[in-house]
């Protein structure tokens, strides 16, 4: 099976790192990206997202659907917008970001993006290992817990990370093929499991539910966006860099919005339906077990296989992107070895959280949720810059010395970096972070304002970052502008 780049096909090792892709090798089309984003979001863990909308926000199901469309599909439209930069610059998102923040100024956004990516990969890996432990519990007829079976736990973590490495390590062409065909398999299993879950829905309660106020919908949109598209925004250009020059921008946006939006809207809606009159799923500390308990016993095995597959498809793309981000930080190794470094990090993290730490999901997801604020600020600046930047200098993207057109002043584009920093401070001012209402880690001094109370700190962050950057004149340093004008 051929890939989108000349000379490589599925099963062959992608040898390119962060260097821009030659035009002759850019033969990709938007349908490939549609399947990539669909596969990355087919995880059955989308159900708890919908459950929180109904159980905790009190939304009627029609409101939950609207929130899912705007929050999830809408936020992935932003991922599609960033994909346009990949088609223009032929390099990964955070490598292109050097043109905006400067060679040294880009280290901050890159480090935050890598921490977020590794964090969610650790969540995927530990959850997948718990899924395999649940399968063993069914096989042995008694509960199998991580700390009581450490060797088995290590084996299951290793299985998941090795499966991830086999796809992410090989690279772009293999990823395109695996994500597409695996979507058919696990998509069918999701439909099968979803059908049985529908039998547990209290339809009379669904049709009699009282709508929530508009403020609850606004909060829900913010929650869905932060939990879906915003977290993937920094990976937008990583896959689109192989797209053909003739591909229209609107098709790149549509491939992400519809590719991720279709499975997410369906899963979020189903999660909302399941939670009408039943808060068990929304409040569960282990959503995998909570969903399994809703199914007939004989459906537990196909359900757990479905959950494992969805987590794996998401991890494939995430680890591939993390490898490119690691190279952008300056690690001087081949791309496949950067992937191995990331795999080792999530393997070690999963061991710690499964076998040593007393708790995991609440504190850890809270920590990586904190990173959504600086990532959102980066997105705002990146999108504003994209409006006027149609060319990225391949040579200068890779040049990390003062001779680079993207060196600016001391290696930092201070307008971009300053806008990013100010937006982060203001964004946290509107934010409350904690594992529970009683265990609050951080509470911004504006968190009780209307914007803060309605969970719109991320909107403030996005608007302020992009707005300040726009007012200050954008990222075009004189030398960078001369380089681009000379190319044109």
């Amino acid at each position: 099976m051929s890939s989108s780049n000349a000379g490589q096909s599925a099963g062959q090792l992608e040898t390119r790192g962060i260097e821009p892709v030659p035009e002759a090798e850019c033969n990709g089309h938007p349908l490939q990206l549609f399947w990539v984003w669909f596969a990355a979001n087919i995880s059955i863990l989308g159900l708890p997202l919908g459950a929180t909308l109904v159980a905790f926000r009190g939304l009627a199901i029609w409101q939950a659907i609207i929130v899912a469309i705007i929050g999830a599909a809408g936020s992935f439209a932003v991922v599609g917008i960033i994909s346009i930069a990949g088609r223009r610059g032929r390099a990964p998102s955070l490598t292109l970001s050097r043109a905006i923040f400067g060679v040294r100024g880009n280290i901050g956004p890159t480090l935050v993006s890598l921490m977020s990516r590794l964090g969610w990969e650790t969540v995927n890996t530990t959850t997948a290992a718990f899924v395999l432990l649940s399968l063993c519990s069914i096989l042995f007829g008694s509960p199998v817990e991580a700390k009581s079976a450490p060797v088995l736990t290590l084996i299951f973590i290793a299985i998941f990370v090795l499966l991830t490495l086999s796809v992410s390590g090989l690279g772009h062409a293999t990823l395109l093929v695996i994500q597409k065909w695996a979507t058919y398999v696990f998509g069918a299993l999701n439909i099968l499991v979803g059908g049985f879950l529908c039998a547990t829905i209290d339809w009379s309660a669904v049709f009699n539910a009282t709508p929530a106020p508009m403020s609850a919908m606004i909060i829900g949109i913010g929650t869905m966006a932060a939990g879906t598209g915003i977290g993937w925004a920094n990976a937008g250009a990583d896959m689109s860099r192989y797209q053909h020059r003739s591909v229209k921008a609107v098709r790149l946006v549509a491939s992400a919005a519809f590719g991720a939006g279709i499975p997410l809207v369906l899963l979020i809606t189903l999660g909302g339906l399941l939670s009408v009159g039943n808060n068990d799923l929304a409040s569960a500390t282990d959503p995998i077990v909570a969903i399994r308990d809703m199914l007939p016993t004989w459906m537990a095995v196909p359900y757990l296989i479905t959950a494992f597959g969805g987590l794996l498809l998401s991890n494939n793309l995430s680890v591939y992107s993390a490898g490119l981000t690691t190279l952008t930080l300056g690690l001087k190794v081949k791309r496949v070895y950067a992937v191995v470094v990331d795999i080792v990090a999530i393997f070690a993290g999963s061991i710690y959280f499964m076998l040593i730490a007393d708790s995991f999901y609440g504190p850890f997801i809270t920590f990586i949720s904190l990173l959504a604020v600086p990532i959102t600020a980066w997105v705002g600046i990146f999108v504003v810059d994209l409006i006027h930047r149609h060319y990225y200098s391949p040579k200068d993207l890779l040049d990390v010395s003062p001779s680079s057109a993207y060196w600016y002043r001391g290696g930092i584009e201070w307008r971009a970096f300053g806008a990013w920093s100010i937006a982060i401070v203001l964004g946290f001012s509107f934010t409350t972070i904690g594992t529970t209402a009683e265990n609050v880690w951080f509470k911004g001094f504006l968190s009780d304002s209307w914007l803060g109370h309605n969970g719109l700190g991320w909107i403030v962050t996005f608007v302020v970052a992009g707005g300040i950057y726009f007012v200050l004149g954008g990222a075009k340093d004189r030398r960078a502008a001369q380089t681009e004008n000379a190319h044109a």
Side-chain angles (χ1 to χ4, degrees), residues 130 147 352-361 363:
F130 279 126
K147 292 184 179 180
Y352 174 78
F353 288 114
M354 293 191 74
L355 297 180
I356 300 173
D358 293 327
S359 62
F360 169 58
Y361 284 106

Side-chain angles (χ1 to χ4, degrees), residues 41-53 190 224 228 263-272 281 287 291:
N41 291 278
I42 203 171
S43 170
I44 207 160
L45 289 181
L47 294 176
L49 284 175
T52 60
L53 292 178
N190 267 282
M224 292 303 104
T228 56
L264 282 173
V265 170
L266 292 175
L267 288 167
I268 290 170
T269 300
L270 179 56
L281 178 57
I291 298 168

Side-chain angles (χ1 to χ4, degrees), residues 298-319:
W298 63 272
M299 270 296 296
V301 171
Y303 158 68
L304 291 171
I305 292 173
T306 302
F308 183 86
L311 291 164
L312 183 61
L313 293 178
S314 178
N315 227 43
N316 287 340
L317 181 58
S318 185
V319 170

Side-chain angles (χ1 to χ4, degrees), residues 205-253:
V206 169
F207 294 123
N208 294 323
T210 302
M214 180 61 68
S215 60
M217 293 185 67
I218 294 174
I219 295 174
I221 290 171
T223 302
M224 292 303 104
T228 56
I230 296 300
W232 281 107
N234 48 25
D238 298 356
M239 296 303 298
S240 65
R241 61 198 175 120
Y242 283 96
Q243 291 289 291
H244 194 274
R245 179 67 62 184
S246 65
V247 172
K248 295 181 178 179
V250 67
R251 296 187 67 191
L252 291 175
V253 175

